[in-house]
Amino acid sequence: ETGVTQTPRHLVMGMTNKKSLKCEQHLGHNAMYWYKQSAKKPLELMFVYNFKEQTENNSVPSRFSPECPNSSHLFLHLHTLQPEDSALYLCASSQVEWTLYGYTFGSGTRLTVV
Amino acid sequence: AQKITQTQPGMFVQEKEAVTLDCTYDTSDPSYGLFWYKQPSSGEMIFLIYQGSYDQQNATEGRYSLNFQKARKSANLVISASQLGDSAMYFCAMRANAGGTSYGKLTFGQGTILTVHP
């Protein structure tokens, strides 16, 4: 148990479906992140939320829609995805305030778009 | 800007031998933290070890040690007595003070796939 819980662990969806990924942390962190990890590619930072406010969107297509209702929960809403969106989606959390500590990651959701 | 470089796409080691995974970094910030994560095939990112830029001694955590050479900007991970369960992807990462702001992001390297042979 890492302290960051992601559900579901695996997801298969069609290109016309709408689904959501959920991330939850109870570590008292106030920053949360979504990463995409495609096969044989580096980790790509998608979104950053600090104190529930989105502070970074790294040119992510609008078919990915994040939501952060509170500091403990983060969602990634998916709609009309493409096969190239198949990847491992990792959620992480940390403290926003300057600290040398790193991030705590969830176990990821392995997404397959068919 | 911060940058992490891992030049070894793949490494092989015999069980019970030691292995060193290379990591070099670049930052202009005097205060930063260096991290190593392990990612098994299951996908989870597991924190292994941390080194602060002002730490005088190299960090150690069980079979993991970090060979920190500040002048050369390198932070190599040494795994002693390799085990079959050490086979995984390993990421080096850095978090810096971002020029004095609060939002120092974690920057990752490309990763190294380690395979431990019996």
Side-chain angles (χ1 to χ4, degrees):
Chain A
E1 182 58 52
T2 66
V4 178
T5 303
Q6 285 188 247
T7 54
R9 290 296 306 275
H10 300 272
L11 178 63
V12 179
M13 60 185 287
M15 289 190 281
T16 58
N17 291 158
K18 288 184 181 181
K19 296 286 185 184
S20 295
L21 310 185
K22 180 182 177 182
C23 176
E24 185 174 355
Q25 60 92 7
H26 296 288
L27 300 169
H29 290 166
N30 45 33
M32 296 186 79
Y33 313 84
W34 279 117
Y35 281 86
K36 176 183 178 183
Q37 188 178 23
S38 305
K40 299 182 180 179
K41 280 189 175 182
L43 281 158
E44 301 171 55
L45 179 63
M46 300 173 73
F47 301 104
V48 179
Y49 276 83
N50 295 325
F51 299 105
K52 304 187 298 178
E53 299 298 320
Q54 188 182 125
T55 57
E56 192 156 336
N57 174 340
N58 283 323
S59 304
V60 179
S62 59
R63 57 186 184 270
F64 294 91
S65 175
E67 178 191 2
C68 189
N70 54 61
S71 292
S72 299
H73 294 85
L74 184 65
F75 295 90
L76 188 62
H77 303 301
L78 317 170
H79 63 97
T80 58
L81 294 190
Q82 304 299 311
E84 60 265 28
D85 297 322
S86 298
L88 179 69
Y89 289 84
L90 288 162
C91 173
S93 69
S94 75
Q95 289 296 125
V96 171
E97 295 83 4
W98 169 238
T99 170
L100 291 171
Y101 296 109
Y103 297 179
T104 302
F105 283 86
S107 300
T109 295
R110 201 168 292 276
L111 173 68
T112 304
V113 181
V114 297
Chain B
Q2 298 146 31
K3 188 176 180 182
I4 292 277
T5 303
Q6 294 178 255
T7 57
Q8 305 157 315
M11 287 286 286
F12 296 88
V13 65
Q14 207 71 26
E15 195 178 8
K16 299 180 185 177
E17 299 290 313
V19 63
T20 298
L21 306 184
D22 294 341
C23 173
T24 58
Y25 61 92
D26 191 23
T27 180
S28 55
D29 294 300
S31 183
Y32 51 88
L34 295 156
F35 307 83
W36 278 92
Y37 288 86
K38 172 185 177 182
Q39 187 180 39
S41 56
S42 56
E44 61 198 296
M45 293 281 277
I46 302 167
F47 166 74
L48 294 179
I49 195 167
Y50 158 80
Q51 179 85 43
S53 58
Y54 295 119
D55 293 343
Q56 295 297 313
Q57 292 186 316
N58 287 343
T60 60
E61 288 286 348
R63 295 186 297 111
Y64 304 109
S65 61
L66 201 152
N67 185 359
F68 181 45
Q69 297 189 41
K70 196 170 183 176
R72 299 174 69 177
K73 293 190 175 180
S74 75
N76 299 338
L77 176 71
V78 180
I79 304 175
S80 62
S82 297
Q83 301 172 357
L84 295 178
D86 294 335
S87 293
M89 175 81 90
Y90 288 81
F91 288 97
C92 180
M94 175 174 66
R95 192 177 193 191
N97 201 4
T101 69
S102 298
Y103 308 131
K105 287 188 302 185
L106 198 61
T107 303
F108 285 88
Q110 304 92 316
T112 297
I113 299 175
L114 176 66
T115 303
V116 181
H117 289 303

